[in-house]
Amino acid sequence: MHISNLKNEFYQPLIGNKILLLVHYDVDAVCACKILQYLFRSDHISYTLVPVRGVEELKYAFLSFCKEVKYVLFVNCGGTIDLIDTLEPENSIVFFVLDAHRPTDVCNVYSPDQVKLLVPRSDDEKIPHPSEIFRDESDEDDDDDDESGDEGDRQDRRRQKAEEAMRKRREKRQWEENRNHVLFSYTQYSYYGRSSAVVMYELAWRMSKDTNDLLWLAIVGATEQMLLAKVDYQRYVLETGFLQSHVQRLSHHSDNQSNEDDVGNILTGVKITFGKDLQLALYRHWTVEASLRYSRYSATKLRLWTLRGESKVQELLAEIGLPLVQSRQKFTSMNMILRKEFPESMEKLGEKYNMDRIMTATFFLQYGYRGRFCAFDFVYGVLALLESRAKDKSLSTCFMEALDSLSRSNKHVLEDGIEKCKTILVSIFKQVQSLLEMRQVISAGPFLYLVLQEGTLDVQLYSSPLCLGLLAQFALEAYVGSSRSKKAASQPLIASAPLDPEKGTCLLLGIPPVADESSNNFFGKAFEQAGERISARMNMDYFDTSIIQLKTEDRPKFLDALTSLLL
Amino acid sequence: MFGQKGLELIKELNRTPDVLPPFNDDVIRQVLEEMNALFEQNRMDLDKEKDANYAGVHVRHASLERNRRCLLAYLYNRINKIRQMRWEFGSIIPPEIKYNMCEPEVQWFNNYNKILATYMRGIGNKHGLNLTLDRQPPKELYIEVRCLEDYGEYEMDNGDVVTLRKGNMYLLPRGPCEQLIRQGILQHITD
């Protein structure tokens, strides 16, 4: 059931009760979780927070904690699976689902009271009508109660009943076929809805509990969706419009204060500004040259993995008027004038070098004298922290670190994350370079695929979906940019990397083609069907259905099955 | 030289400012013997009527006073440390530490316990208040804690049961968590 009035129907019942918070491992969920923690702390609502990565962990966490709580809140998880079926809760427990994954499972939508979805119903989702999916299984049995009547009559009636039964069976079959068809077209494409952090920010705003910190978290959540290509550019622009109105509203009263307090203002206040920024990853915390070379946008447009690309970078820098020495300096130690002019000169030259969308609308955060952060930087930093899995560092520690990094007093944690992200970006670039040089992005007819072999450099970095997703995107855009075939832009990509060498499993994910602006991903269903066809040993545990775990031995057969399916 | 043994006691306390070392019975006995010897010599010197060594008497008296000061400082500092332990650990001392205390110190501890308990009971119109709970004024009623080790079920004052598992985060009322934070099972998260 969809709820539209979040304050009364979701938040009010929670006061005075205990909740279980199940949060997914992504940046948007971390931001939404932080906003929720702030709200719960202010109202003294006891909660238990458990990070989960897949359906198994969700079930395990639920079973361990379900006896103590009355309300369970799912953040960015659980929307796409039938919750009541999977978890089998008692009737008194209520589920609140705040999931950006779509399509939402129909059982969750039409459950009368136990599952409540925290987003208003939208027509874009094209949720099927309940009569098309559910049907009363009332037994229309034809017991012959009346034995009376003579033979002829009874025969007649029996014939009539037989005809009716046949008609009913035919109807039922037709209805079932229609139902399957409707469900298939509904669940065919998986995509993302509104960012959970923004929804939570709206709730805080309606309760008049919003602050600049919460607004910044919402901004980071929305930016993540754009950066990881979960939503298309139009949706992102609309969201920034919405957030910008809040920025203006919240910064309005700080502007009214007199200027004599300026110094005090900067040190203690959080200032969020709206502006345009370059799509060069982390350029403010890195050197200009490195940022140009390793960001996905600039690297794919300038084709920096080739030798010609290198000379293009130097040409570009020369045209801007940036000396090579300066471009190799850390951005903060660059010449002041050059630093100020850099974004504008990049924008002017953007069209000449085929980089017309290099400037994007985004937000900046400033507190203290140092540290002007762009929303992109925050997303990269938190992403790197979530990915920093090491042998002795469990996933939940990474999650808690990511949570920590978002609070103002832990700036050093975020800066750590940004450093880690730099190594990740460098590694991704090198990987793409080697993939393209060795022509390892292979076309298998309807789609492209790349497989990372076990001995490759940094391969354990790609055993998590987020990093592999970034690599896949970079590789696809690079391939499209450098390939001569016209249909490369309309081909999707499947990327695979070894997951667990002992168990012999690998990670497989699919991303939609470059030319497809709507970022609808059909691989969820495709994987399911291909897996069924060859009865592969696969594990569809992740909430994003386009990511699966598969036994490495089954991989070639799986890809063949996919090829035949999609032809 | 006179007074060296007394200095040894002080040096021992200085070496380990956080831990209570075992009660150094030996050195104290030596110090007391030295003091006795000095006192006897002084008395003999003062009994003599002629050729009395008044300078020597002064020197010995000074070292007697020095020794006394050392002994008293040693005892006083130990008692202070024991008092701190009462406020940090509660009224029951772990046996390892008890082993380091001498008998009169143990008795002192018990008496201190009794006095403190009577005082705390009488605060607030005979209602009682446990002063050793919050050493610093608490900032909020509910605190965010992160669980560092698997603990299992934990029952709180109001009857609610919480399952504490490693890697999770909780928002719990302050009182029941203090004990676990001190034990190192929970970690208090401040924003």
Side-chain angles (χ1 to χ4, degrees):
Chain A
M1 186 167 89
H2 291 273
I3 314 185
S4 38
N5 189 343
L6 287 180
K7 178 177 166 193
N8 291 338
E9 297 179 37
F10 160 56
Y11 198 71
Q12 287 295 99
L14 291 180
I15 299 185
N17 286 318
K18 296 184 71 200
I19 329 183
L20 175 61
L21 261 170
L22 296 169
V23 185
H24 186 231
Y25 274 104
D26 61 76
V27 183
D28 189 23
V30 171
C31 295
C33 173
K34 199 114 184 124
I35 299 182
L36 277 169
Q37 281 186 316
Y38 175 83
L39 293 174
F40 289 159
R41 208 170 40 225
S42 70
D43 277 318
H44 302 309
I45 300 179
S46 274
Y47 64 80
T48 307
L49 169 67
V50 188
V52 296
R53 194 170 49 147
V55 182
E56 286 302 321
E57 287 192 24
L58 184 80
K59 276 202 267 196
Y60 179 60
F62 179 73
L63 285 173
S64 344
F65 295 101
C66 65
K67 295 183 277 298
E68 308 155 352
V69 292
K70 193 166 169 295
Y71 294 97
V72 186
L73 174 57
F74 298 86
V75 180
N76 267 2
C77 58
T80 48
I81 56 176
D82 185 356
L83 283 173
I84 304 195
D85 229 7
T86 332
L87 301 175
E88 286 165 19
E90 312 205 350
N91 284 336
S92 56
I93 300 191
V94 179
F95 291 155
F96 288 107
V97 179
L98 174 66
D99 197 346
H101 292 103
R102 302 272 185 277
T104 331
D105 192 290
V106 284
C107 300
N108 289 344
V109 174
Y110 291 118
S111 148
D113 48 17
Q114 212 167 9
V115 180
K116 304 206 173 160
L117 302 166
L118 296 183
V119 273
R121 190 172 177 142
S122 110
D123 286 326
D124 298 338
E125 285 179 43
K126 300 200 185 62
I127 304 179
H129 204 263
S131 63
E132 290 180 359
I133 323 175
F134 303 111
R135 180 184 168 111
D136 243 347
E137 288 298 324
S138 56
D139 281 341
E140 297 132 0
D141 56 72
D142 307 322
D143 265 345
D144 329 14
D145 324 288
D146 53 331
E147 303 284 333
S148 60
D150 58 39
E151 273 292 321
D153 242 353
R154 215 173 326 148
Q155 275 217 347
D156 248 346
R157 228 175 286 142
R158 219 176 295 151
R159 212 185 319 129
Q160 271 182 7
K161 278 192 204 125
E163 277 180 14
E164 246 189 66
M166 251 184 49
R167 191 168 44 87
K168 281 211 179 77
R169 249 177 286 144
R170 215 184 320 138
E171 244 186 57
K172 189 163 179 209
R173 223 176 337 167
Q174 252 183 347
W175 180 86
E176 268 189 23
E177 263 180 42
N178 186 32
R179 170 181 193 260
N180 286 342
H181 175 74
V182 159
L183 272 180
F184 180 76
S185 56
Y186 177 61
T187 55
Q188 190 179 23
Y189 288 102
S190 68
Y191 54 102
Y192 284 85
R194 204 157 183 230
S195 150
S196 314
V198 176
V199 176
M200 283 294 99
Y201 176 73
E202 246 192 70
L203 170 67
W205 171 50
R206 292 201 191 277
M207 297 198 296
S208 304
K209 284 193 184 163
D210 55 335
T211 65
N212 260 336
D213 291 324
L214 298 187
L215 179 59
W216 182 250
L217 289 168
I219 290 173
V220 175
T223 314
E224 181 240 8
Q225 285 199 324
M226 199 270 298
L227 218 57
L228 297 182
K230 289 183 184 171
V231 289
D232 47 1
Y233 193 64
Q234 307 294 35
R235 180 95 69 88
Y236 171 70
V237 171
L238 286 171
E239 203 73 81
T240 47
F242 169 73
L243 290 167
Q244 211 253 335
S245 59
H246 283 283
V247 167
Q248 264 184 340
R249 179 177 59 91
L250 283 177
S251 65
H252 187 60
H253 24 123
S254 68
D255 277 346
N256 273 344
Q257 283 179 7
S258 56
N259 274 334
E260 52 193 68
D261 228 358
D262 226 356
V263 175
N265 256 352
I266 293 181
L267 280 183
T268 58
V270 174
K271 239 167 101 186
I272 305 183
T273 35
F274 179 72
K276 284 195 161 210
D277 196 27
L278 296 171
Q279 275 245 38
L280 297 177
L282 299 177
Y283 76 90
R284 234 177 253 99
H285 306 263
W286 217 350
T287 70
V288 168
E289 196 199 3
S291 177
L292 267 175
R293 188 175 296 165
Y294 299 124
S295 317
R296 187 180 85 224
Y297 192 77
S298 55
T300 50
K301 295 289 184 198
L302 295 174
R303 300 213 201 138
L304 290 176
W305 52 87
T306 57
L307 277 171
R308 268 192 70 212
E310 292 275 343
S311 57
K312 267 206 162 161
V313 166
Q314 302 195 346
E315 214 182 287
L316 176 68
L317 289 173
E319 255 195 74
I320 305 179
L322 200 65
L324 214 56
V325 174
Q326 286 284 331
S327 74
R328 292 201 181 125
Q329 287 264 20
K330 271 188 94 72
F331 192 76
T332 43
S333 351
M334 259 168 67
N335 188 338
M336 271 281 281
I337 311 172
L338 290 172
R339 209 192 320 167
K340 279 207 177 90
E341 290 178 357
F342 177 65
E344 294 149 15
S345 17
M346 281 297 291
E347 187 179 6
K348 271 188 240 151
L349 287 180
E351 272 163 66
K352 179 174 173 204
Y353 285 89
N354 199 17
M355 298 195 286
D356 28 342
R357 255 217 227 143
I358 192 142
M359 293 293 254
T360 347
T362 180
F363 298 88
F364 299 95
L365 176 74
Q366 178 157 13
Y367 53 85
Y369 280 118
R370 287 195 184 194
R372 189 172 134 99
F373 289 99
C374 172
F376 295 139
D377 305 338
F378 255 78
V379 174
Y380 281 123
V382 178
L383 194 75
L385 284 173
L386 279 175
E387 289 292 311
S388 58
R389 174 90 193 276
K391 208 169 285 197
D392 51 351
K393 204 173 176 196
S394 72
L395 277 173
S396 49
T397 325
C398 301
F399 183 84
M400 296 301 172
E401 239 184 49
L403 261 185
D404 275 342
S405 74
L406 287 171
S407 53
R408 254 190 288 161
S409 48
N410 291 334
K411 213 158 50 142
H412 57 278
V413 184
L414 184 71
E415 283 169 3
D416 253 350
I418 290 183
E419 294 295 314
K420 283 195 190 128
C421 190
K422 289 184 200 169
T423 54
I424 293 182
L425 289 174
V426 172
S427 157
I428 289 184
F429 178 80
K430 291 206 178 105
Q431 199 69 256
V432 171
Q433 192 172 25
S434 77
L435 283 173
L436 286 178
E437 273 172 18
M438 311 230 243
R439 299 193 191 284
Q440 279 185 340
V441 180
I442 310 170
S443 167
F447 58 84
L448 305 160
Y449 70 92
L450 66 89
V451 176
L452 289 176
Q453 299 299 340
E454 215 157 279
T456 359
L457 189 70
D458 283 337
V459 79
Q460 72 275 17
L461 187 66
Y462 302 110
S463 60
S464 81
L466 285 171
C467 268
L468 191 59
L470 284 174
L471 174 72
Q473 219 152 12
F474 200 148
L476 182 61
E477 285 188 18
Y479 181 79
V480 166
S482 67
S483 130
R484 291 210 197 103
S485 89
K486 291 261 178 342
K487 68 170 187 147
S490 58
Q491 280 183 314
L493 174 75
I494 294 188
S496 172
L499 182 65
D500 193 343
E502 292 158 30
K503 292 194 207 142
T505 51
C506 66
L507 189 66
L508 201 84
L509 62 80
I511 56 175
V514 167
D516 187 5
E517 285 272 334
S518 65
S519 61
N520 283 348
N521 195 324
F522 59 81
F523 277 110
K525 267 290 185 229
F527 285 164
E528 207 182 303
Q529 284 182 342
E532 264 169 46
R533 223 184 248 200
I534 60 169
S535 45
R537 292 162 286 177
M538 61 187 227
N539 186 358
M540 297 193 64
D541 196 39
Y542 296 98
F543 290 108
D544 188 348
T545 43
S546 61
I547 309 174
I548 59 169
Q549 292 178 359
L550 183 64
K551 279 266 187 204
T552 326
E553 301 140 354
D554 292 343
R555 185 167 53 193
K557 276 192 283 171
F558 186 76
L559 290 174
D560 288 332
L562 260 182
T563 321
S564 57
L565 195 70
L566 293 173
L567 265 175
Chain B
M1 197 57 241
F2 304 137
Q4 292 290 60
K5 284 284 172 208
L7 190 58
E8 215 179 278
L9 286 174
I10 305 292
K11 275 200 253 184
E12 183 183 319
L13 273 191
N14 224 9
R15 226 174 278 144
T16 56
D18 318 316
V19 178
L20 192 72
F23 191 75
N24 208 334
D25 229 359
D26 243 4
V27 178
I28 291 189
R29 207 166 1 98
Q30 289 172 2
V31 172
L32 289 174
E33 273 173 18
E34 182 180 309
M35 285 175 78
N36 265 330
L38 287 170
F39 187 70
E40 281 305 318
Q41 276 189 315
N42 264 357
R43 201 150 59 79
M44 280 193 323
D45 252 349
L46 290 173
D47 274 345
K48 270 198 254 185
E49 280 181 5
K50 52 177 179 162
D51 292 337
N53 187 358
Y54 289 128
V57 167
H58 276 294
V59 168
R60 284 187 219 110
H61 191 72
S63 25
L64 271 173
E65 295 211 314
R66 176 78 176 157
N67 276 331
R68 183 179 79 149
R69 190 176 173 193
C70 286
L71 281 175
L72 286 177
Y74 182 70
L75 294 172
Y76 177 70
N77 278 298
R78 282 181 70 93
I79 290 282
N80 252 350
K81 214 168 285 177
I82 297 175
R83 186 208 313 244
Q84 262 179 7
M85 284 201 286
R86 166 65 182 90
W87 281 84
E88 267 175 44
F89 299 142
S91 58
I92 309 188
I93 339 162
E96 311 93 58
I97 301 184
K98 204 165 191 178
Y99 184 66
N100 289 345
M101 305 193 329
C102 69
E103 188 48 48
E105 284 177 341
V106 175
Q107 276 182 8
W108 183 90
F109 184 76
N110 291 334
N111 277 337
Y112 185 71
N113 267 347
K114 255 187 260 168
I115 300 175
L116 190 60
T118 330
Y119 176 65
M120 292 202 288
R121 250 201 312 269
I123 306 177
N125 235 354
K126 305 291 182 210
H127 189 72
L129 173 68
N130 190 348
L131 291 170
T132 62
L133 264 191
D134 290 318
R135 297 294 295 280
Q136 269 137 3
K139 290 269 160 51
E140 57 230 333
L141 197 55
Y142 280 72
I143 51 173
E144 270 178 0
V145 287
R146 210 166 276 176
C147 190
L148 300 172
E149 271 151 36
D150 268 331
Y151 186 80
E153 309 242 324
Y154 183 62
E155 185 158 348
M156 295 198 291
D157 308 342
N158 48 1
D160 286 338
V161 180
V162 187
T163 316
L164 297 174
R165 188 168 298 151
K166 180 170 179 182
N168 293 347
M169 194 153 161
Y170 303 86
L171 182 78
L172 298 171
R174 195 185 181 75
C177 299
E178 285 275 323
Q179 174 75 328
L180 292 173
I181 294 178
R182 233 174 274 165
Q183 284 177 351
I185 296 180
L186 294 178
Q187 182 197 7
H188 182 27
I189 307 290
T190 43
D191 212 15

